[in-house]
Amino acid sequence: MTTPRTEQDLLLLGLRDRWYPLCPSSHVRSGELTRLDRAGEELLLWRDSSGVVHVQEDRCPHRAARLSMGVHMGDRIACNYHGVQLDGDGVVASVPGSPGCALEGRRALRTFPAEEHAGAIFAWFGSDEDAEPTPLQVPAPIGGGEWDNFLCYVEWDASYLLSLDNLLDPMHGAFLHRNSHTMYTGKREAAFQIRDTDTGFVFEKTDQRGVNFDWSEWIDTGGLQSVTLDIPYPATAGPGGPFTIVACVTAINEQQHAGFFWRCRKVSGWERDSWRFLYKNRIEARHWQVLEQDRAMAEGMPDDAWARENLYQHDIALVRLRRVLRAEAKRQATAAAARAERKPARAAAR
């Protein structure tokens, strides 16, 4: 079990009992061992002989050596230090140096439930590693069917919280991205409102829709946190109307994060073919330019930015989300402390 985290840890590294995207699926290749830090956890990712991805703690249960420095054996991995072999469920399959020892047959390696969707690997970070995860429900635009998408993946030297601030700030589109091919029109002043939903809230301009970056939606299904927004497209961008962005951000550590930005359109048949061609040949480079503007702004924010802000009406969604995250972090930290106190009592009773 991971050491219980404080409220501040949970706020800066990500809540528990949530699914987080870790990396694009292409980053974990067959026959290789991939090392990642995500949400405060040190992880090993690998695929078995059937191509199924496994996400485990990068720590051998024998002497805590890095399993990512080990050997891929098809359906097992072997620690390079003493040869201890483990399967995809975290069970010690063999201890070559001491056959039959008590470690063999034991589930001794923390293993995170993992799934792949829309070109990305997701893992469940539970507060209780033995509890079943909440089913992963990805937003409809990256769920397939009538929707098509492209994944833009980034790693930025900034807290993931700054990316959430940016995504829930529609007004910056008319300023920071004013030279974009999609965000050069519309008013440069607006009033906003928050509209509650079953899974979060929508933050929207009250007097403009479908012109610029005019709204964004915070979604927390109890399993996955994401932000969805629409950007209007000119007719020259092909069929499908506005394009939708589904965004998820995952902390790497307190000062870095991974960002997943799916560019989505509701297209099928020849329209899908047309959209995909136009995206790869004309639009994708422009999207990266917009992301680069966001990256420069996020990475340039001072460490004490939150402490020295003077917020106004355009920032009510930021305030709302920060309160939501902090309240849940406090609840989880309190629950973790209570579990830690009960453990010694149970051990003494035995």
Side-chain angles (χ1 to χ4, degrees):
M1 177 73 70
T2 301
T3 302
R5 300 181 186 279
T6 67
E7 177 185 335
Q8 189 70 356
D9 288 338
L10 288 161
L11 185 65
L12 295 178
L13 295 173
L15 301 173
R16 303 297 93 171
D17 297 328
R18 297 293 188 277
W19 289 92
Y20 287 101
L22 305 181
C23 65
S25 294
S26 59
H27 286 198
V28 183
R29 293 182 285 270
S30 179
E32 297 184 5
L33 303 176
T34 301
R35 167 93 165 88
L36 288 178
D37 290 343
R38 294 290 185 271
E41 306 285 356
E42 299 172 334
L43 303 174
L44 166 71
L45 283 70
W46 59 284
R47 296 184 184 277
D48 61 26
S49 59
S50 299
V52 175
V53 70
H54 300 280
V55 178
Q56 299 176 311
E57 190 175 10
D58 189 18
R59 186 182 297 262
C60 179
H62 171 221
R63 292 273 303 282
R66 295 292 185 200
L67 290 170
S68 55
M69 299 171 66
V71 180
H72 193 297
M73 301 179 66
D75 291 320
R76 298 180 183 180
I77 54 174
C79 180
N80 221 17
Y81 203 13
H82 297 93
V84 174
Q85 299 175 19
L86 300 113
D87 67 16
D89 294 321
V91 175
V92 178
S94 175
V95 181
S98 182
C101 77
L103 196 55
E104 287 189 342
R106 212 174 116 202
R107 188 173 180 271
L109 176 64
R110 184 173 188 189
T111 299
F112 299 80
E115 295 186 19
E116 292 188 70
H117 292 277
I121 296 169
F122 294 78
W124 171 261
F125 290 78
S127 54
D128 182 350
E129 63 183 278
D130 295 319
E132 287 295 314
T134 298
L136 174 56
Q137 301 176 32
V138 298
I142 63 172
E146 296 179 289
W147 287 90
D148 191 33
N149 66 79
F150 290 93
L151 171 60
C152 296
Y153 172 74
V154 300
E155 294 183 13
W156 291 349
D157 292 329
S159 166
Y160 82 95
L161 294 167
L162 292 174
S163 269
L164 290 182
D165 283 353
N166 186 67
L167 289 163
L168 288 170
D169 172 22
M171 203 64 217
H172 84 269
F175 293 89
L176 181 63
H177 306 313
R178 61 188 174 274
N179 295 322
S180 164
H181 71 299
T182 55
M183 287 180 276
Y184 63 92
T185 60
K187 299 178 180 179
R188 302 184 79 178
E189 69 281 337
F192 285 86
Q193 67 181 9
I194 289 180
R195 176 164 46 87
D196 290 332
T197 68
D198 292 339
T199 54
F201 60 88
V202 174
F203 183 55
E204 57 193 354
K205 296 176 183 176
T206 60
D207 57 351
Q208 180 173 290
R209 191 80 168 194
V211 179
N212 200 299
F213 174 14
D214 294 332
W215 64 271
S216 58
E217 180 178 4
W218 168 254
I219 302 171
D220 188 343
T221 61
L224 179 69
Q225 298 169 327
S226 62
V227 177
T228 300
L229 56 100
D230 271 1
I231 300 293
Y233 253 13
T236 54
F243 83 96
T244 295
I245 296 176
V246 173
C248 295
V249 291
T250 303
I252 296 173
N253 53 47
E254 294 180 0
Q255 299 296 332
Q256 295 176 304
H257 73 276
F260 300 76
F261 302 91
W262 285 273
R263 267 63 173 154
C264 315
R265 282 187 106 175
K266 201 170 188 179
V267 285
S268 58
W270 71 267
E271 290 187 340
R272 177 171 295 189
D273 295 337
S274 175
W275 143 248
R276 294 188 69 84
F277 176 82
L278 285 169
Y279 183 85
K280 295 304 293 184
N281 287 276
R282 293 182 56 187
I283 301 170
E284 183 176 23
R286 298 172 182 178
H287 285 178
W288 281 109
Q289 290 172 0
V290 171
L291 276 176
E292 178 60 18
Q293 292 170 342
D294 288 329
R295 180 203 62 78
M297 195 61 62
E299 292 188 352
M301 295 290 278
D303 292 339
D304 63 348
W306 280 20
R308 301 180 65 179
E309 294 174 322
N310 292 281
L311 304 180
Y312 51 88
Q313 201 267 346
H314 291 176
D315 305 309
I316 56 177
L318 280 63
V319 175
R320 168 81 169 265
L321 182 58
R322 291 175 188 178
R323 287 175 178 168
V324 167
L325 294 178
R326 190 170 289 282
E328 179 60 14
K330 183 176 182 179
R331 187 196 68 78
Q332 291 190 7
T334 301
R339 286 195 300 271
E341 289 180 2
R342 288 195 298 268
K343 274 186 178 181
R346 287 197 299 267
R350 289 197 295 269

